[in-house]
């Protein structure tokens, strides 16, 4: 039998590394804190898209870095954020080009990540698995994902994953069953 942890880990691989942990208890309002892995991912995105390696991102680089981290933002929002968080040294220079440094980028990304709705993130992940848009994750879907992420699992193991969480016994995982897996909550 496939363990609950192994199933959840495999299915979690479809989620972005910077997705928040799904918690169905919304009564606990805690200050959002990035994991070390999330901080590293933000730093790597900043460094990758700082094309001229000057320690700053211009508006285009900033937008592309945000997109790489899973945030699709419009130009107006990019410019607003840059004006709001721009290093004061650049304001004194009366620069025409808006630039943002790493510390400001980290602040913005921390804020953006804290605003993510974990349930919506899991629903997005479900859609990634449900490639044929049938509202179900099939054995065929799991085989393809396992191949893509380099997970060497037999068809029997993948079927066992489905069987373990297939509450309505239809041989596939629906969105509510997927949410239950990701939240480790069988009451869904």
């Amino acid at each position: 039998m496939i363990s609950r942890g192994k199933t959840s880990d495999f299915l979690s691989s479809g989620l972005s590394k910077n997705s928040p942990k799904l918690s169905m208890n919304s009564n606990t309002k805690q200050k959002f804190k990035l994991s070390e892995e999330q901080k590293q991912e933000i730093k790597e995105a900043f460094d990758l898209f700082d094309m001229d390696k000057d320690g700053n991102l211009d508006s285009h680089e900033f937008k592309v870095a945000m997109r790489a981290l899973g945030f699709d933002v419009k130009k107006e929002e990019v410019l607003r954020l840059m004006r709001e968080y721009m290093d004061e040294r650049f304001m004194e220079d009366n620069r025409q080009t808006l630039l943002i440094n790493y510390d400001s980028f980290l602040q913005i990304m921390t804020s953006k990540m804290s605003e993510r709705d974990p349930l919506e993130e899991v629903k997005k992940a479900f859609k990634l698995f449900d490639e044929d848009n049938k509202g179900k994750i099939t054995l065929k879907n799991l085989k393809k994902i396992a191949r893509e992420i380099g997970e060497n699992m037999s068809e029997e193991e993948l079927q066992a994953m489905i069987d373990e969480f297939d509450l309505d016994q239809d041989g596939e995982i629906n969105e509510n069953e997927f949410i239950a897996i990701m939240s480790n909550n069988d009451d869904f």
Side-chain angles (χ1 to χ4, degrees):
M1 173 136 146
I2 303 295
S3 73
R4 176 176 288 279
K6 185 170 182 173
T7 300
S8 185
D9 290 346
F10 171 74
L11 294 175
S12 294
S13 64
L15 292 171
S16 167
K17 290 178 190 169
N18 58 31
S19 295
K21 177 76 178 140
L22 179 61
S23 170
M24 292 303 170
N25 185 359
S26 59
N27 295 334
T28 57
K29 277 285 187 193
Q30 297 176 342
K31 181 173 170 28
F32 183 80
K33 185 170 164 82
L34 293 174
S35 68
E36 289 305 313
E37 186 177 359
Q38 289 170 317
K39 288 178 187 174
Q40 181 63 33
E41 193 172 356
I42 291 169
K43 178 71 172 137
E44 288 172 5
F46 184 90
D47 291 344
L48 180 65
F49 295 106
D50 178 12
M51 299 300 201
D52 53 5
K53 304 301 179 204
D54 66 351
N56 297 291
L57 300 178
D58 64 25
S59 61
H60 177 72
E61 293 167 335
F62 179 51
K63 182 175 181 173
V64 175
M66 286 186 71
R67 182 171 288 147
L69 291 169
F71 296 94
D72 193 19
V73 291
K74 304 238 183 281
K75 183 178 180 179
E76 296 77 29
E77 184 179 2
V78 167
L79 297 175
R80 179 189 62 74
L81 287 168
M82 291 187 81
R83 285 187 190 101
E84 184 179 334
Y85 285 89
M86 192 166 76
D87 189 323
E88 291 177 13
R89 292 173 296 161
F90 297 130
M91 290 179 197
E92 294 168 3
D93 291 345
N94 285 331
R95 289 182 177 236
Q96 297 291 5
T97 303
L98 293 173
L99 296 174
I100 195 159
N101 65 22
Y102 174 71
D103 290 336
S104 295
F105 183 69
L106 180 61
Q107 279 185 299
I108 292 167
M109 296 316 303
T110 300
S111 174
K112 287 285 192 189
M113 288 178 179
S114 74
E115 294 167 1
R116 283 188 164 162
D117 178 356
L119 182 57
E120 286 306 310
E121 293 296 309
V122 171
K123 287 180 177 185
K124 285 181 191 175
F126 176 80
K127 287 180 168 90
L128 292 174
F129 282 90
D130 178 24
E131 289 185 323
D132 43 12
N133 296 317
K134 292 183 179 177
K136 304 274 186 166
I137 299 172
T138 64
L139 179 60
K140 179 180 147 198
N141 297 138
L142 281 185
K143 282 199 264 188
K144 185 172 191 275
I145 296 291
R147 227 180 7 261
E148 287 175 358
I149 65 172
E151 199 55 55
N152 190 13
M153 296 180 76
S154 70
E155 187 169 319
E156 291 77 26
E157 287 177 304
L158 294 171
Q159 185 62 54
M161 290 170 69
I162 290 174
D163 294 343
E164 183 175 354
F165 296 100
D166 181 17
L167 301 177
D168 61 9
Q169 301 295 302
D170 66 352
E172 301 168 327
I173 300 294
N174 66 37
E175 186 177 63
N176 285 338
E177 292 165 338
F178 186 78
I179 291 168
I181 294 166
M182 299 311 294
S183 64
N184 293 322
N185 179 355
D186 292 322
D187 298 332
F188 235 86

